[in-house]
Amino acid sequence: MLRPAARRTGGPAGPHRGGPSPEEDTPETAVARAHVTQPVTELGWSTVLELGDLSPVHRSLVASVATLVRLGYPCDIGYLTRQARIMEQAAVHDLDEMEAYKSEAEQVEKAVASAVLYEPAADVPAAAGPE
């Protein structure tokens, strides 16, 4: 079973898709790395810092922020931090729900079912409501 302290040290948990990798050696990527590092450090997500570019999620986030920087779009670190906190709360809630199942097999089943059934809904933009 996952313990609250253990799950709160590495950032949000859950299945993640690989995304684009940042273009190396560009000024925008250097700025993006700093922008991503600041909220991750503030939130205490040590595992994210340790993994860095080994994590497809980290690479994708750096690439996305680098694109924003390259396009001249404002990239508010405070906004990123607030969004990360919300996502962390959702991850903690998901883990709490999973722990309601007694056996490890049921917990794994819940994790897989949640990833398959609920995560695609999270990919739908908020404006895409019922027609």
Side-chain angles (χ1 to χ4, degrees):
M1 211 180 274
L2 299 171
R3 300 285 174 238
R7 71 175 117 132
R8 287 185 175 84
T9 59
H16 301 288
R17 294 176 210 77
S21 291
E23 293 179 34
E24 296 303 322
D25 301 325
T26 67
E28 296 86 4
T29 299
V31 170
R33 285 187 199 291
H35 278 28
V36 168
T37 298
Q38 185 173 340
V40 167
T41 301
E42 184 178 323
L43 293 164
W45 292 352
S46 58
T47 303
V48 173
L49 292 173
E50 290 168 14
L51 289 176
D53 283 342
L54 294 175
S55 165
V57 175
H58 184 269
R59 285 192 313 268
S60 180
L61 181 57
V62 170
S64 296
V65 172
T67 299
L68 292 173
V69 171
R70 188 173 11 276
L71 295 173
Y73 194 82
C75 185
D76 181 359
I77 294 174
Y79 175 81
L80 286 177
T81 303
R82 289 188 300 277
Q83 290 295 102
R85 279 196 176 105
I86 291 167
M87 294 170 73
E88 180 181 43
Q89 291 170 353
V92 168
H93 174 75
D94 286 348
L95 290 171
D96 288 344
E97 288 290 316
M98 187 175 65
E99 288 180 352
Y101 293 89
K102 301 218 182 301
S103 76
E104 194 171 300
E106 289 174 309
Q107 290 177 356
V108 169
E109 184 177 317
K110 166 68 173 165
V112 171
S114 293
V116 171
L117 298 175
Y118 296 129
E119 194 162 318
D123 292 338
V124 176
E131 294 181 27

